[in-house]
Amino acid sequence: MAKVLTNPSHSLKEFRILPGYTPKDAKVQDVQLETRLCRKSGRFIELSSPFSSAAMQAVTGVDMAISLAQLGGIGILPVSQTIREQCSKVSQVKRFKAGFQTDIMTLSPSQCIADVLSIIKDTGYTTFPVTESGTFHDKLIGILTDKDFDERRDLSVQVNERMKTDVQFGTEITELRAANDLMIELGRGFLPILSKDGVLQTVVFKKDLDKHLRHPNESIDEQKRLLVGAAVSTHAEDRERAQELIANGVDVLFIDASDGHTEYQGEMIDFIKQHSNTPVVGGNVITSEGFRFLVDAGADAVKVGMGIGSGCTTQEVKATGRGQGTALIEVGKTRQDFAAESGNYIPLVADGGISGPAEMAVALALGADTLMMGNFFARYTESHGSLMRNAAGEIVKEYWMEGSMRAHNMRRYAQTKENFFEEGIAGYVPHVGSIFDKLPTIIQMLRATLATAGCRNIQELHANAVLEMQSPSALLDSKIHDIVPMTLDQQVL
């Protein structure tokens, strides 16, 4: 006979964190949000901020992965692309040097302006180094920008007839501050860095360098390259994908599966562990048994969550899933018991059910070490979805679930082409601007929550947080009520 648990599961939205005593050294500005993403060779991969972008087509591309790592988190590149495409994106993130770039388009002097216009249309680039051979690591002979030619009359003109040859440059500069100082001195927003022999080594864009100087808490590896993760499925053919991703320098592999408590996932984790030291994050699970299974299989962290994404329909069509609050409570308790038994700490990644800073704080308090989010990050300029204007004239971004017909990620849901059914929808989310403008404020909100709870860091929050379930009436009281908000143009200055 089926076993029935009569206590209902609960959403993160149903909890509130009670205040604790705040000592002087737990003020907002002193709170640290460093966290453990996963185990690695007896230690941990650590992040400066507890954020991971979801391994979704609409969310994580190269721009999101780079931007989030610069802000202390990590991006996870989705599996629903070719091995070559996914590995290329890993390489692009690893080669990005916080303003020092080696992966930009260069021109040869014999190319025609028509070619340049095509490149500008395809890539959006408008500034191009010109080298003798047209390859990046060759002798620099000029610079061409979109301001140096007339796109109507110069189509057949060669690059060498329009490029600037009086190029200002730096020589063998490796320090960011030195590059910044020289750019200020020269009054330039673009600076080629050459070897003593005049060979192009890197280029520096002022806008990229400014981002780094404003956000010094990057997530970096031992070689000071940005951290990046990638997803693989549990299917046997993705064993090659895992090996290629590892060869291209990926820092961590995430198993992309809606249900992680399967023999297939155990086999994939075992394969990766036998062939590399690269950490593996297993998931997704929502039960104590699922957590134990993944840990026994060798997972270095565990993703928690099922059927609770903003556009996910898994619970509606399959009746499988659980409230994220209850899932984290149960798995977190099992993680605590396992640590006491074995001495090994397994980080948890809360995946789903997180709408904003309140749910982020509750998920962390209930035991999550990292917050994996799709909808939240899809709203930023840097996400992979396209910007559009909706029927109301508002700027929005495309967003679709990996279980939607658009993503058609059949392998994630163990389906075939002939009988595919959706477990998610496609839609739009508001565009809120750049992640560099918005995420620092969210980070400050989380610091404020920890300070109010009397905690100096996430580890203290795990140990000392006191949470309380809220009644529906209490939740209503916690929202804006009995007042009509004033619009900005109505406010009296």
Side-chain angles (χ1 to χ4, degrees):
M1 182 176 177
K3 181 179 180 180
V4 178
L5 306 179
T6 56
N7 291 328
S9 69
H10 297 282
S11 160
L12 296 173
K13 295 177 174 61
E14 297 177 69
F15 294 87
R16 291 293 181 264
I17 300 170
L18 301 186
Y21 170 70
T22 304
K24 287 184 178 180
D25 61 352
K27 299 189 298 292
V28 174
Q29 60 268 34
D30 297 321
V31 169
Q32 301 297 315
L33 293 179
E34 285 86 357
T35 194
R36 294 167 284 193
L37 173 67
C38 61
R39 297 183 301 179
K40 183 182 180 182
S41 302
R43 303 176 67 184
F44 295 94
I45 290 181
E46 297 187 344
L47 306 176
S48 297
S49 57
F51 300 111
S52 166
S53 61
M56 299 174 67
Q57 299 169 37
V59 179
T60 309
V62 172
D63 288 346
M64 175 58 72
I66 288 174
S67 302
L68 189 51
Q70 286 184 295
L71 290 165
I74 189 170
I76 312 302
L77 297 165
V79 68
S80 45
Q81 55 190 312
T82 67
I83 295 174
R84 172 180 279 187
E85 288 170 337
Q86 197 179 23
C87 288
S88 173
K89 291 174 182 178
V90 167
S91 297
Q92 288 178 62
V93 178
K94 299 307 287 186
R95 287 198 300 266
F96 184 85
K97 292 281 188 178
F100 290 93
Q101 294 196 39
T102 60
D103 191 36
I104 69 169
M105 185 70 67
T106 53
L107 304 175
S108 74
S110 60
Q111 283 182 270
C112 63
I113 296 302
D115 291 338
V116 178
L117 285 171
S118 178
I119 294 170
I120 290 173
K121 181 180 178 181
D122 291 342
T123 67
Y125 298 157
T126 57
T127 301
F128 304 92
V130 184
T131 64
E132 288 183 343
S133 65
T135 59
F136 191 91
H137 292 293
D138 198 358
K139 190 168 183 178
L140 184 73
I141 60 174
I143 296 292
L144 183 79
T145 75
D146 60 341
K147 305 292 192 301
D148 297 326
F149 56 84
D150 188 312
E151 64 181 51
R152 294 165 297 179
R153 295 183 301 175
D154 290 344
L155 294 179
S156 61
V157 174
Q158 290 189 334
V159 166
N160 61 0
E161 298 179 56
R162 293 289 182 267
M163 69 184 186
K164 294 185 177 73
T165 56
D166 56 336
V167 180
Q168 294 176 305
F169 57 88
T171 303
E172 298 199 354
I173 295 174
T174 59
E175 296 296 326
L176 288 171
R177 292 197 177 276
N180 188 52
D181 291 344
L182 182 56
M183 293 178 83
I184 293 172
E185 179 184 331
L186 298 175
R188 293 287 184 268
F190 170 83
L191 181 69
I193 307 296
L194 310 184
S195 69
K196 292 178 181 178
D197 299 324
V199 173
L200 184 62
Q201 294 180 322
T202 62
V203 297
V204 180
F205 289 95
K206 188 69 165 61
K207 59 183 177 61
D208 292 331
L209 200 147
D210 286 345
K211 286 178 182 178
H212 172 75
L213 295 177
R214 284 188 285 119
H215 307 287
N217 298 318
E218 295 175 322
S219 298
I220 54 176
D221 62 18
E222 294 85 355
Q223 300 176 50
K224 297 188 177 180
R225 302 174 302 176
L226 295 179
L227 294 181
V228 62
V232 297
S233 78
T234 59
H235 293 262
E237 62 265 30
D238 264 9
R239 295 182 178 187
E240 178 189 355
R241 181 186 296 271
Q243 291 177 310
E244 289 297 319
L245 288 166
I246 292 166
N248 280 271
V250 76
D251 294 287
V252 56
L253 293 172
F254 276 60
I255 306 294
D256 186 59
S258 59
D259 176 17
H261 194 177
T262 70
E263 185 174 357
Y264 306 108
Q265 182 142 166
E267 290 175 347
M268 178 58 83
I269 293 172
D270 181 63
F271 173 83
I272 295 170
K273 288 297 181 181
Q274 285 189 25
H275 291 83
S276 78
N277 294 319
T278 301
V280 184
V281 178
N284 285 26
V285 296
I286 54 175
T287 66
S288 174
E289 295 80 7
F291 172 84
R292 286 278 186 173
F293 169 79
L294 291 177
V295 172
D296 290 343
D300 297 295
V302 172
K303 278 190 297 172
V304 179
M306 183 182 292
I308 48 174
S310 61
C312 181
T313 60
T314 295
Q315 293 196 34
E316 294 178 34
V317 301
K318 289 171 58 178
T320 57
R322 194 175 209 178
Q324 185 70 308
T326 298
L328 282 171
I329 290 171
E330 178 169 320
V331 176
K333 174 63 168 59
T334 307
R335 187 261 306 273
Q336 184 178 15
D337 294 341
F338 177 80
E341 297 165 10
S342 66
N344 294 318
Y345 183 87
I346 306 296
L348 300 181
V349 179
D351 179 17
I354 302 170
S355 302
E359 290 84 27
M360 294 178 196
V362 170
L364 292 171
L366 291 178
D369 298 276
T370 305
L371 309 168
M372 175 173 267
M373 296 177 287
N375 186 308
F376 177 81
F377 286 119
R379 298 166 180 243
Y380 291 121
T381 304
E382 293 78 7
S383 73
H384 204 234
S386 298
L387 276 172
M388 303 185 67
R389 195 177 293 276
N390 64 14
E394 302 163 323
I395 301 297
V396 295
K397 293 214 75 171
E398 290 183 294
Y399 183 50
W400 60 96
M401 302 296 104
E402 288 300 292
S404 68
M405 187 63 73
R406 173 167 181 177
H408 217 61
N409 188 357
M410 295 174 291
R411 298 189 308 160
R412 186 178 199 271
Y413 297 88
Q415 296 189 42
T416 64
K417 185 176 182 179
E418 292 73 24
N419 62 10
F420 178 79
F421 62 88
E422 289 189 302
E423 291 189 43
I425 66 169
Y428 306 97
V429 292
H431 175 236
V432 298
S434 172
I435 191 172
F436 289 98
D437 296 328
K438 303 295 184 179
L439 193 61
T441 302
I442 300 295
I443 290 172
Q444 188 69 359
M445 291 177 181
L446 289 178
R447 286 194 178 118
T449 298
L450 267 68
T452 300
C455 301
R456 301 169 182 83
N457 51 55
I458 290 173
Q459 289 71 41
E460 288 190 8
L461 187 70
H462 287 171
N464 302 326
V466 178
L467 294 96
E468 184 176 68
M469 289 285 301
Q470 303 294 294
S471 70
S473 296
L475 287 172
L476 285 175
D477 285 345
S478 72
K479 301 179 183 299
I480 295 172
H481 59 90
D482 301 319
I483 183 172
V484 177
M486 186 181 294
T487 62
L488 186 63
D489 59 340
Q490 293 173 324
Q491 294 181 25
V492 179
L493 301 179

